[in-house]
Amino acid sequence: MTLNRFLKEKRPGISKLAESADCTEKETEDGTKPAGTAEEREAKTPARQEKMHVKPAPFRSLIKSMTFSNSRLDCFEQCPFKFKLKYIDKIKPEIGKGIEAYMGTVVHATLEKLYKDMLYQKLNSLEDLITYYKEQWESNWDDNIVIVKEEYTPENYRKMGEEYIRTYYERFKPFDQDKTLGLEVRIDVNIGPNGEYTVMGYIDRLSQPEEGVYEIHDYKTSIKPKTQDELEADRQLALYALAIRQKYPDAKKVRQVWHFLAQDKHMVVEKGVDDLKKLEEETVRLIKKIEEESEFPHKGSALCGWCEYRDRCPDFKHEHKLSKMEPNEFLNEPGVKLVDRYAELMAEKKKAEDELKARFDTELEKIKQAMMKLAEKEGLRVIMGSENRATLWSKECYRFPGRKDPGREDLEKIIRQAGLWDEVSSLDTFSLSKLLDNPPPDWPTPIVEAIRAMATKERLERVYLSDKK
Ligand code: SF4
C-alpha cells in the first residue's frame, strides 16, 4: 500500500499531505524492479533509519528466547515499562500484591482442593471447604499485601471469597456435571507459521462432559463480570483452546467456560478453528511487536493503583518516596518545594492576568462600542488615529460546537455523510504525532516510517499542574 493510498483510506483529512509525498516505484539500472516496495527498501538504509528515528531493538534476542504467557502479553499491552521491569530486568517488586489478587489465589486453591479430593472419591462438605479456605487465608497472609480501596478491610475481602465459594458450591453440588481431567493443567501452545513461538499457561480445571468435548474452566473473582462480546475476544482461554486442540486430536468441541463467582454467572464461548487461527495470527503480531520494542514506555491506566512497580515508575516514584516521609521532612523535600512554589506563582500570575484582562477588556469594549457608533453615524469603515488606523468590520457569523461540546458529534456526522469532510477538515498534527508514538497495528510499518521521516523531532517542555486528588 502506498503512502497516498494509506493516508486517503485511514485518514481522509490528511489526504492533501499525501499528494505531495513522492511514493513512485523506481527501477534499478538494469531495468529490473528491486524487491519490496520503495518505502521498504528506503527504510532499510542506515541513514534513513536514523532520520526516521528507528531505534534498534536491544532486547530482541532475549525476548525471542522468552516463553510467553497470556499474563506477559497482557502486561505488555497494559504497560510496556512494567513488562520490561518484570520480565526483562526481572526486578523483584518491593510493593506487595493487591488484596484482590490474594483473595483470588486463596479461592482458586480452595476450588482446586474440592475437585482434587473428588478425584480420590472424597466429597468435602461446604463447611470443610470453608474451614480450608480460612486456614489458607490465615497461613498465607503477608503484611505487604496492598489494599488500594482503603475503605475496605482484609476481613471484607476474606468474607467476599468465602461467599463466592458458598455460592459456587450450592450451585454445582454434587459436581457430577463432567469428569475432571486435570487441575492447574500446564499447557504449552506453539504458534506462528512454523510454531516458533511458545505460549504457556495454566488451566484452572480441564474437564470432559462427554466424549470428544473438552471444557476449559476459569474462575474469576473480580467484581465486574465481562460481557459475552468481551469473552468472544478473550485471548487467554482461546489460546488454551488452541493448545487442547493441538494436544487432543479427538477434540471435536472445545468450550471455554468462565465462572464469575461474585455474580454466580457462568458463561461459555466455543470458538471455531478459523477464529482460533485469527487469534493465533494476532498473538504472533503482538509478540513480534514486543520483540521490536526498543523504548518500553510507561503507559498509565486505571490499573496503576495495583501496580507493584510504582516505586520505579516515572509517574509514581516521587509520590511513593514522599509516602515514606514524616510531614516536616516532606515539606522540605526539593521536589515538593519546587512544585509548591511553581503552583503559588502560577496562581498569582493567573490572578494578576485575570484582573488585568478584565480591566483592559472593559475599557476596550467601551471604546469599541463608541467607534462602532461613530462609524454608523458618519458612514465610516476606517477611523484614523494619530499613529494608527482602525478598520471596523462586523458580520453575523456561525458559531459551531467545540470538540468537546454537545452536538459536535452530530455536526461531524452530517458533514461526513454529505461527503464534505475533506473540504472542511485539516490535518491534526497533534493527533498524528500521538498516533506515531504508538501506531495502530493495522498501519503498515513502511507507511508509519514514511510519515515519521517527514517530521522533525523536537522536545516540547510543559508543566501541567493539577490537584493531587
Ligand atoms: S504504575 Fe507506572 S509502571 Fe505501573 S502500570 Fe502504571 S504506568 Fe506502568
Side-chain angles (χ1 to χ4, degrees):
M1 184 189 280
T2 64
L3 176 60
N4 266 316
R5 211 181 103 213
F6 172 75
L7 290 174
K8 278 199 167 118
E9 284 178 11
K10 295 286 173 196
R11 288 283 182 278
I14 53 180
S15 59
K16 286 188 181 69
L17 174 77
E19 280 157 21
S20 64
D22 179 10
C23 297
T24 48
E25 283 281 305
K26 291 189 177 61
E27 293 186 344
T28 56
E29 278 176 8
D30 63 4
T32 57
K33 257 191 182 173
T37 64
E39 294 93 341
E40 283 164 350
R41 290 191 303 277
E42 180 83 338
K44 282 179 187 149
T45 63
R48 188 68 165 163
Q49 288 201 342
E50 188 166 327
K51 199 175 163 201
M52 288 175 174
H53 321 294
V54 175
K55 299 230 170 94
F59 304 106
R60 189 188 288 131
S61 57
L62 201 149
I63 294 170
K64 260 200 183 310
S65 63
M66 192 181 266
T67 298
F68 279 90
S69 66
N70 187 63
S71 330
R72 289 184 180 209
L73 298 174
D74 277 352
C75 179
F76 180 82
E77 286 180 318
Q78 184 205 331
C79 174
F81 183 64
K82 180 177 169 184
F83 174 91
K84 180 172 179 290
L85 294 176
K86 194 166 180 171
Y87 300 115
I88 296 178
D89 303 339
K90 296 190 171 39
I91 292 172
K92 205 168 172 291
E94 283 169 23
I95 300 176
K97 69 168 156 180
I99 193 160
E100 292 86 351
Y102 178 71
M103 186 257 281
T105 308
V106 183
V107 168
H108 275 77
T110 308
L111 292 177
E112 188 185 344
K113 176 182 171 54
L114 167 71
Y115 284 104
K116 186 173 165 214
D117 284 353
M118 286 191 63
L119 293 175
Y120 292 89
Q121 301 302 317
K122 177 184 171 190
L123 174 60
N124 287 284
S125 69
L126 176 58
E127 289 324 307
D128 286 345
L129 217 54
I130 296 297
T131 305
Y132 179 81
Y133 170 77
K134 286 180 180 165
E135 283 167 5
Q136 289 296 308
W137 184 280
E138 295 303 328
S139 59
N140 291 296
W141 180 260
D142 162 2
D143 288 339
N144 247 346
I145 291 169
V146 176
I147 302 182
V148 176
K149 297 181 178 175
E150 288 170 0
E151 62 273 38
Y152 303 116
T153 64
E155 185 57 9
N156 292 129
Y157 286 94
R158 193 198 60 71
K159 281 188 185 159
M160 278 166 78
E162 185 179 321
E163 191 54 30
Y164 297 170
I165 291 163
R166 284 186 192 285
T167 316
Y168 183 87
Y169 193 97
E170 294 299 346
R171 173 172 286 270
F172 289 106
K173 70 177 180 192
F175 312 101
D176 56 0
Q177 295 82 6
D178 53 19
K179 187 169 77 190
T180 296
L181 299 181
L183 298 160
E184 290 297 311
V185 182
R186 174 168 171 149
I187 57 104
D188 291 276
V189 56
N190 298 322
I191 58 172
N194 306 307
E196 61 269 50
Y197 297 106
T198 305
V199 182
M200 61 81 76
Y202 289 91
I203 297 176
D204 288 346
R205 188 169 77 91
L206 179 66
S207 77
Q208 200 166 31
E210 57 187 278
E211 269 316 298
V213 181
Y214 290 80
E215 285 185 349
I216 296 161
H217 296 265
D218 198 54
Y219 302 107
K220 295 285 181 209
T221 51
S222 58
I223 289 275
K224 198 169 162 265
K226 291 201 173 172
T227 62
Q228 189 68 31
D229 283 351
E230 285 170 328
L231 296 182
E232 297 282 349
D234 180 88
R235 180 176 52 220
Q236 182 186 17
L237 264 55
L239 282 171
Y240 296 172
L242 203 59
I244 295 302
R245 284 194 181 272
Q246 283 179 4
K247 197 170 168 187
Y248 298 98
D250 70 320
K252 291 193 194 77
K253 288 181 178 179
V254 181
R255 292 187 194 128
Q256 301 156 223
V257 187
W258 285 266
H259 300 279
F260 292 97
L261 302 175
Q263 300 79 17
D264 191 21
K265 218 167 160 29
H266 310 275
M267 297 167 79
V268 180
V269 166
E270 198 178 310
K271 276 188 183 289
V273 176
D274 288 349
D275 287 339
L276 292 175
K277 186 86 207 138
K278 214 170 122 207
L279 169 106
E280 180 183 347
E281 286 163 5
E282 281 167 13
T283 309
V284 169
R285 270 202 297 278
L286 176 59
I287 293 178
K288 285 189 171 156
K289 187 176 171 200
I290 299 175
E291 282 176 359
E292 294 309 315
E293 181 60 66
S294 59
E295 296 189 343
F296 295 91
H298 70 289
K299 190 168 136 194
S301 72
L303 298 173
C304 288
W306 285 267
C307 174
E308 61 275 36
Y309 292 101
R310 285 192 312 284
D311 57 335
R312 292 173 183 268
C313 171
D315 282 4
F316 293 95
K317 70 174 162 190
H318 191 237
E319 185 181 346
H320 182 79
K321 177 182 160 194
L322 299 180
S323 70
K324 309 260 171 233
M325 290 182 172
E326 297 298 327
N328 54 347
E329 195 189 353
F330 170 94
L331 289 172
N332 282 319
E333 201 274 343
V336 173
K337 280 167 79 176
L338 285 171
V339 174
D340 286 355
R341 183 66 188 137
Y342 192 87
E344 204 176 277
L345 285 174
M346 286 297 283
E348 278 174 30
K349 178 178 168 234
K350 183 162 185 327
K351 193 168 164 239
E353 278 173 355
D354 287 352
E355 284 169 5
L356 204 65
K357 185 172 179 301
R359 227 183 69 211
F360 277 100
D361 283 353
T362 315
E363 191 75 7
L364 284 166
E365 186 59 29
K366 256 193 231 164
I367 298 175
K368 189 171 95 185
Q369 290 308 325
M371 285 195 292
M372 288 290 182
K373 231 183 221 168
L374 178 70
E376 198 183 327
K377 191 172 154 208
E378 303 201 4
L380 304 175
R381 199 176 80 87
V382 175
I383 305 177
M384 300 302 295
S386 48
E387 299 286 335
N388 300 285
R389 64 163 58 208
T391 304
L392 307 185
W393 180 88
S394 84
K395 184 178 184 302
E396 293 274 313
C397 283
Y398 291 104
R399 193 186 161 91
F400 297 106
R403 287 184 83 158
K404 291 182 182 160
D405 292 342
R408 174 67 176 218
E409 242 177 64
D410 292 342
L411 173 67
E412 289 193 7
K413 202 168 147 196
I414 292 169
I415 292 173
R416 282 181 204 279
Q417 278 171 352
L420 299 173
W421 186 254
D422 278 358
E423 282 179 43
V424 296
S425 66
S426 62
L427 174 67
D428 180 349
T429 49
F430 181 70
S431 301
L432 185 62
S433 168
K434 266 173 68 182
L435 280 167
L436 283 187
D437 281 342
N438 200 2
D442 60 333
W443 285 32
T445 308
I447 302 285
V448 171
E449 299 309 349
I451 299 173
R452 273 194 187 132
M454 291 180 192
T456 50
K457 261 213 161 168
E458 62 181 44
R459 175 166 297 281
L460 300 175
E461 287 174 339
R462 309 246 194 287
V463 176
Y464 298 99
L465 279 181
S466 57
D467 288 343
K468 272 180 157 183
K469 289 277 169 183

